[in-house]
Amino acid sequence: MTERNISALLASVVLAVAGCPADEPAGDAAPDTSPADGPPADRQRDAVQEAGADSAQTAAGVFTLKVAGRTLELTVLSDRVVRVRYLPTTGKAHPQRGWTTTVTTWPTAPLTFTDAGTYWRHRTAAMEIRVDKVDAALSFYDLAGQPISRDVPNQLAGGYSRAVRKVLPADEHFYGLGEKTGPLDKRGQALQMWTTDPLYPKNNYTTTADPIYQSVPFLIGLRKGKAYGLYLNSTFRTHLDMGKAVTTELRLRTEGGDLDYFFIQGPTVAGVVRDFTKLTGRTPMPPLWSLGYHQCRWSYYPEAEVRKITTELRKRKIPCDGFWLDIDYMDGFRSFTWDKKRFPAPKKMLADLAKQGFKVTAIIDPGIKRDPGGSYEAYNQGVAKGHFVTMPDKSVYVGKVWPGKAVFPDFSRPATRAWWADLVKAFVSVGLRGVWIDMNEPATWDPAGFPLDSVFHGEGKGVTDHREARNVYALLMARATREGLQQATPNGRPFVLTRAGFAGIQRYAAVWTGDMESSWAHLGMAPAMLMNMGLSGISFAGTDVGGFSGNPGAELFVRWMQLGAVSPFFRTHVSSGSPPQEPWSFGTQAEQISRAHIELRYRLLPYLYSLVRQASEQGDPPLRPLLYDFSDDEQTYKLSDQMMLGSWLMVAPVLHKGRRARAVYLPAGAWFDHWTGAVFSGKRQATVPAPLSRLPLLARAGGIIPTTEVVQYIGASVPTALTLDLYPVKGQGPTSLTLYRDDGETLAYKKGTYQVLPLTLATDAAGATLTVGPTKGSFATADKQLKLRFHGVASVPSSVTAAGVALTKRASLAGLLKGGGWFHETAGASGTVHVRLPSPAKKTAVVCAYDATAALTRKVTVTFTATLPAGTPPGDIYMATNLHGWIPTGHKMTRSGNAATATLNMEQGEALEYKYTRGDWKSVEKMLGCDEQKNRYLAVKDGGAGKQAVADTVGKWADTCKK
Ligand code: GLC
């Protein structure tokens, strides 16, 4: 008998001893109703141990299998979610502190595992779980018998370990992992979870920096359109290796506690994210104003400066809701104090700002100034009540941050959180609307870092130390801060922004990506960071627009503003010592473009707010990678620089200096250029115009995008019209969107004071039908008018009706504005039907009858002919283009004599940037006098019969040029 056989025998013997015949469910367990933090597994184990047995198969919803060296405990939370814990056979399970998941009731129904020879098997309605009898290794299969995720067999050779290795197929991709720099797909990387300020001890915030501020030990594996999730439920330092050490293995490891993880079966990416956020919590509805534009710098002071900037924002008509106070408002960097010279009357100032529509958020750092013998209350109280983190010898740990020597509240202690919440409540009562918490990794400028043996209370579940508490320090600080704000305004929606956090941080705070530098490289890494954070549950996130350190200059600032305009959290912020970074700081053109994009943001608020509602209810991130909506299209798996804002808008920010066209991958369907109305076909690589003045934005066929009028701030006026941009395309749909509205401010929505308005768009050969309503909920909007724009309507409609009644056709937009009805606009690339009607009181269909069979896209074969300079050496000529990734050999031309020709199949409305080369950058084209040849630019336009001819003359070649 082999060793394996013997162990298998032993394992089944253990099961038999426990008295549970393998094929039958265990007897009725007493239902576990206590909402305790720990899963019933703990209590179950205790019960089993008391009874003197070694192991039991199932009871109280837990499947237990004891094998040599370890005990497996499985809890099946739903058809798709399983908790897996491995414990050493000797010793106690690590305490469950209840910090990271929101699960309050653990399943108690008996679990049936059947004997399948070498393994135990359990089937849910969505997957099959297999447990190896010898080493308790796990595999998950779909119901068709295809493996989803499998442990590497025989990993127990070295005995119990806090690590698990999984078989990694070559074509698997990884997403999530919280806030990480680098590309979207984390395949091939090994990442750590250990909340860290990457700027200390030396600036290491780079495209490969790891770890950084946030720790979310959660990943999504995606392969051939099928996704699953793994959440390593440990707050100790953890390591996730996605095929770096061994290309065929996924490895998860924690440095402390038990090996404890959740497996989530998709198969959709959205399904995984929804289940993960069910487990760790979702973003509660934020106040609507917090989705507006925020102006910040380190720091606006004194009061006169605050008034100057806020007045300027209004004067220049730059919409803005949030205004921010950084650390210099404090008295000597003491949290919860004001510098009385700089801000002699904060209450009055905040009241005045509130009248101007500004909602002010102030920063609060956890490092409390060590201030013995003084009158600093936070310090004195904290010492008196033992709120600060101590060392093993019971002395208070003293670190160093902004105020110099500082001590740190122990947020793992409920009494300390309550105390902190009281401080917050009292402090914000002066008129602050939000709290910004920072330096909460926690940062300390002690070269040795925060001592690992510093003592933490551990939630009353047994003391612990920094090793277990660090990763959740910010999470618990955010929780206490939010509680303080909630107490200050019981019917309000607290707004907290945090730099550090752990899985579940979205329950308490919005997140920003910390101190990014004002560089193209940092702008470039932002989209993937935001998208992966969204997939990790952190849907309310943003970056410092313009970058935090350095001087972006006009172009980078404007491009960053464009990204900000579609980021869930939209704030300009900059370091002390850096030049001004207000929207007007970079000249008139940059100011205009910034304003236009901030206005775009305000227009999109009804859409964004509905997405935010969806995030709060289901977990779907408003800003997400294309693979979220197109997971069957493998071309989307590595797109780090294109995003979806909801299902209907694609955003392709410009992330490189000097670019005026943007290559994009368009998934199947048709795509409408937001700015020009041009329509492009999908399932191909395209290149769209991207002048400095525009964020490339494409609406997807079938799209329904609710918008509103621009206001200077939320609350300035109540919109009386609902506008819907509609993108009907025959063969796409019916599509739908649920518009969500409420008062944007209070918790009344929780009691039904909201409005849900279902919208559906269906298109056939005879035209498009929009169905509006019926509404749900008791919130009364001020809507008087419904404004519709049917895009892509090339020919004049035969009629437009609402609830079967024909609307009046108008001859001009002015006529429409006056009298309502409809107007067909032909300006723009594809034609638009504008409709205005009184807000329908009940479910209504608006039918726009037109020939929807007309082609929306126009293919154009572009022929390039380049006349080459005399003496061009023999050899191939190429076009380097933005469409071909700016590779010098991007597109080979046909050479004949002193001319080279090439054709590209493009579509009307696209734009191409290009240069001619002889195969490398050393031989790129120059102007006649050998000066730099700027990128050539082509606006694609049908010159007749679907053809366009371009004739260029190459002046010189770089390598043969002599100035
Ligand atoms: C940290 C924050 C930054 C803030 C500064 C001063 O660097 O990340 O946003 O401005 O501290 O408080």
Side-chain angles (χ1 to χ4, degrees):
M1 203 176 223
T2 62
E3 204 179 293
R4 194 179 158 88
N5 287 340
I6 294 168
S7 326
L9 192 70
L10 280 176
S12 52
V13 166
V14 169
L15 284 161
V17 166
C20 297
D23 276 322
E24 278 166 38
D28 277 350
D32 183 283
T33 45
S34 62
D37 288 311
D42 285 340
R43 301 188 289 286
Q44 166 61 17
R45 175 209 316 287
D46 292 347
V48 168
Q49 275 167 1
E50 271 163 32
D54 285 337
S55 172
Q57 188 187 1
T58 84
V62 183
F63 169 81
T64 305
L65 178 62
K66 204 165 184 173
V67 296
R70 63 175 174 175
T71 303
L72 165 70
E73 291 187 353
L74 276 181
T75 318
V76 178
L77 280 90
S78 71
D79 287 339
R80 294 170 195 280
V81 182
V82 183
R83 182 180 188 181
V84 180
R85 290 213 299 170
Y86 288 101
L87 312 162
T89 11
T90 52
K92 280 202 100 181
H94 194 77
Q96 304 289 300
R97 310 204 186 261
W99 288 331
T100 57
T101 60
T102 53
V103 184
T104 49
T105 355
W106 294 82
T108 53
L111 271 174
T112 315
F113 269 76
T114 54
D115 190 338
T118 57
Y119 58 89
W120 297 102
R121 179 172 66 197
H122 176 77
R123 264 184 184 231
T124 74
M127 63 176 157
E128 180 172 306
I129 308 164
R130 294 184 190 171
V131 184
D132 187 283
K133 286 184 178 174
V134 177
D135 60 3
L138 274 170
S139 333
F140 301 91
Y141 287 78
D142 66 18
L143 295 182
Q146 292 301 310
I148 310 166
S149 167
R150 285 177 297 157
D151 283 2
V152 170
N154 300 323
Q155 20 184 320
L156 269 188
Y160 178 78
S161 86
R162 297 187 175 103
V164 63
R165 294 183 283 132
K166 310 230 169 232
V167 176
L168 183 48
D171 55 353
E172 189 157 311
H173 304 264
F174 290 102
Y175 310 97
L177 296 136
E179 184 192 45
K180 297 290 176 195
T181 64
L184 182 74
D185 179 4
K186 301 299 184 204
R187 172 80 193 221
Q189 293 197 36
L191 298 166
Q192 270 189 52
M193 300 301 163
W194 185 246
T195 53
T196 299
D197 174 1
L199 267 70
Y200 191 83
K202 70 177 181 28
N203 186 348
N204 177 40
Y205 199 177
T206 62
T207 50
T208 54
D210 184 64
I212 59 169
Y213 311 105
Q214 302 266 332
S215 294
V216 188
F218 163 69
L219 58 81
I220 300 172
L222 176 64
R223 203 177 147 237
K224 295 196 168 77
K226 296 212 166 95
Y228 69 88
L230 285 174
Y231 170 43
L232 184 51
N233 185 31
S234 170
T235 73
F236 288 89
R237 191 194 283 257
T238 51
H239 304 262
L240 296 92
D241 182 321
M242 279 73 50
K244 185 175 186 191
V246 176
T247 50
T248 53
E249 286 188 12
L250 165 66
R251 297 177 163 191
L252 311 183
R253 178 166 71 87
T254 175
E255 292 191 2
D258 302 318
L259 175 62
D260 177 352
Y261 67 90
F262 290 85
F263 175 83
I264 303 172
Q265 149 71 328
T268 66
V269 176
V272 174
V273 174
R274 287 173 190 167
D275 271 330
F276 174 62
T277 54
K278 195 168 172 192
L279 216 49
T280 57
R282 293 172 181 147
T283 309
M285 279 309 282
L288 179 57
W289 64 262
S290 67
L291 297 173
Y293 174 67
H294 300 259
Q295 186 65 44
C296 185
R297 86 158 286 132
W298 173 16
S299 304
Y300 289 124
Y301 74 91
E303 179 178 330
E305 179 70 6
V306 169
R307 290 189 184 268
K308 192 178 107 193
I309 302 290
T310 47
T311 306
E312 204 62 31
L313 282 157
R314 293 290 177 252
K315 203 172 90 194
R316 292 174 185 265
K317 295 229 171 318
I318 295 169
C320 180
D321 269 279
F323 195 81
W324 293 60
L325 299 174
D326 204 336
I327 48 174
D328 297 288
Y329 79 85
M330 297 178 191
D331 172 16
F333 303 130
R334 288 172 184 83
S335 290
F336 305 107
T337 66
W338 290 86
D339 181 313
K340 300 237 165 59
K341 282 211 189 75
R342 293 169 179 168
F343 294 95
K347 196 168 183 169
K348 167 87 172 84
M349 177 185 82
L350 295 172
D352 290 348
L353 292 176
K355 274 184 221 141
Q356 286 173 272
F358 291 103
K359 292 85 179 169
V360 179
T361 296
I363 197 168
I364 295 178
D365 284 340
I368 298 293
K369 186 179 173 71
R370 186 176 176 275
D371 205 0
S375 58
Y376 181 26
E377 268 186 50
Y379 178 76
N380 293 340
Q381 286 173 8
V383 170
K385 292 275 161 76
H387 289 312
F388 300 123
V389 174
T390 57
M391 296 302 293
D393 67 3
K394 305 232 168 1
S395 62
V396 170
Y397 165 67
V398 182
K400 196 176 161 222
V401 260
W402 303 121
K405 284 187 178 167
V407 295
F408 297 82
D410 177 2
F411 293 107
S412 75
R413 186 171 181 257
T416 300
R417 287 202 299 271
W419 165 70
W420 182 268
D422 281 347
L423 288 172
V424 169
K425 178 185 173 194
F427 188 64
V428 299
S429 66
V430 68
L432 292 166
R433 300 294 297 275
V435 175
W436 170 18
I437 54 176
D438 185 29
M439 309 291 281
N440 50 2
E441 291 72 30
T444 170
W445 303 328
D446 179 344
F450 219 103
L452 292 178
D453 60 348
S454 52
V455 181
F456 286 76
H457 176 268
E459 208 65 29
K461 310 260 168 71
V463 289
T464 185
D465 65 25
H466 199 65
R467 278 170 269 247
E468 186 181 11
R470 180 181 183 87
N471 271 332
V472 285
Y473 191 84
L475 178 92
L476 299 173
M477 181 191 187
R479 174 172 167 187
T481 307
R482 184 178 178 90
E483 284 166 3
L485 274 159
Q486 190 71 75
Q487 287 161 21
T489 316
N491 193 31
R493 305 182 194 177
F495 174 69
V496 180
L497 179 74
T498 183
R499 190 168 76 175
F502 190 76
I505 185 65
Q506 64 273 7
R507 306 200 290 266
Y508 311 120
V511 168
W512 98 106
T513 57
D515 299 346
M516 300 181 89
E517 64 187 40
S518 302
S519 68
W520 290 97
H522 276 226
L523 174 64
M525 69 191 188
M529 290 177 80
L530 294 175
M531 291 190 281
N532 273 324
M533 283 163 87
L535 295 179
S536 309
I538 305 170
S539 63
F540 195 9
T543 58
D544 283 348
V545 167
F548 175 71
S549 51
N551 179 358
E555 185 182 356
L556 178 58
F557 180 74
V558 158
R559 290 308 195 186
W560 211 313
M561 195 48 103
Q562 293 173 352
L563 171 69
V566 289
S567 301
F569 176 61
F570 181 19
R571 182 186 75 158
T572 293
H573 180 46
V574 63
S575 175
S576 81
S578 289
Q581 206 152 288
E582 289 80 48
W584 55 87
S585 306
F586 302 94
T588 319
Q589 190 199 16
E591 180 182 346
Q592 274 165 8
I593 302 170
S594 297
R595 184 187 297 102
H597 285 82
I598 296 172
E599 288 179 351
L600 171 70
R601 165 61 162 237
Y602 276 78
R603 265 192 224 105
L604 285 173
L605 280 177
Y607 181 58
L608 183 61
Y609 197 60
S610 301
L611 295 174
V612 163
R613 172 64 170 175
Q614 206 179 322
S616 81
E617 295 227 286
Q618 298 196 82
D620 299 296
L623 194 69
R624 57 220 195 189
L626 269 64
L627 60 90
Y628 202 80
D629 294 86
F630 302 96
S631 53
D632 285 334
D633 184 347
E634 296 189 29
Q635 299 287 327
T636 64
Y637 290 5
K638 287 189 172 294
L639 296 177
S640 299
D641 58 358
Q642 290 178 236
M643 306 176 277
M644 293 301 293
L645 184 62
S647 294
W648 304 117
L649 276 181
M650 185 201 289
V651 187
V654 176
L655 306 169
H656 296 276
K657 191 176 166 54
R659 298 284 165 84
R660 300 295 178 263
R662 171 65 225 253
V664 280
Y665 175 71
L666 302 178
W671 298 85
F672 293 69
D673 187 316
H674 167 81
W675 305 97
T676 65
V679 189
F680 306 117
S681 61
K683 199 94 191 119
R684 68 187 186 107
Q685 201 70 36
T687 165
V688 301
L692 185 61
S693 58
R694 293 184 205 155
L695 165 72
L697 197 57
L698 295 146
R700 178 179 168 194
I704 303 172
I705 301 174
T707 61
T708 188
E709 284 122 52
V710 172
V711 287
Q712 292 304 297
Y713 56 91
I714 298 303
S717 62
V718 184
T720 56
L722 170 67
T723 305
L724 301 175
D725 278 290
L726 306 164
Y727 298 89
V729 172
K730 190 180 140 285
Q732 304 284 329
T735 51
S736 62
L737 182 109
T738 304
L739 175 68
Y740 175 83
R741 290 182 288 178
D742 60 23
D743 67 19
E745 183 77 42
T746 74
L747 300 181
Y749 72 95
K750 290 194 172 179
K751 299 196 183 104
T753 313
Y754 58 77
Q755 191 201 69
V756 161
L757 182 64
L759 302 164
T760 311
L761 180 64
T763 312
D764 60 19
T769 302
L770 172 78
T771 310
V772 183
T775 61
K776 259 193 285 175
S778 63
F779 178 67
T781 68
D783 287 358
K784 291 203 166 61
Q785 217 182 28
L786 183 62
K787 301 182 183 177
L788 308 176
R789 286 190 286 254
F790 289 90
H791 296 269
V793 181
S795 58
V796 187
S798 55
S799 71
V800 178
T801 61
V805 179
L807 302 177
T808 313
K809 180 180 174 183
R810 304 287 173 188
S812 67
L813 207 49
L816 179 77
L817 292 182
K818 249 203 223 140
W822 64 274
F823 165 66
H824 182 242
E825 184 191 18
T826 48
S830 57
T832 307
V833 175
H834 300 258
V835 181
R836 268 159 213 243
L837 65 154
S839 281
K842 50 181 205 301
K843 184 173 173 181
T844 299
V846 181
V847 182
C848 181
Y850 67 99
D851 175 12
T853 61
L856 288 168
T857 60
R858 196 178 301 175
K859 298 207 179 314
V860 180
T861 306
V862 188
T863 307
F864 297 85
T865 308
T867 306
L868 310 177
T872 298
D876 292 329
I877 308 292
Y878 299 86
M879 292 174 74
T881 83
N882 70 311
L883 189 57
H884 300 91
W886 286 111
I887 300 166
T889 51
H891 189 72
K892 194 169 157 187
M893 304 186 78
T894 308
R895 184 167 173 185
S896 126
N898 75 336
T901 55
T903 52
L904 288 180
N905 294 318
M906 303 187 69
E907 290 185 6
Q908 176 142 302
E910 286 191 71
L912 187 75
E913 279 191 286
Y914 63 102
K915 270 185 178 177
Y916 296 101
T917 81
R918 291 193 351 269
D920 53 30
W921 289 120
K922 280 181 285 183
S923 64
V924 71
E925 62 169 321
K926 292 274 175 180
M927 309 260 282
L928 251 190
C930 292
D931 287 337
E932 177 81 13
Q933 164 73 55
K934 284 221 178 92
N935 290 345
R936 297 176 184 270
Y937 183 90
L938 170 75
V940 178
K941 204 166 182 322
D942 186 356
K947 291 195 164 59
Q948 184 176 18
V950 178
D952 293 318
T953 303
V954 174
K956 293 275 181 192
W957 299 109
D959 57 340
T960 56
C961 232
K962 280 199 198 71
K963 260 204 178 180

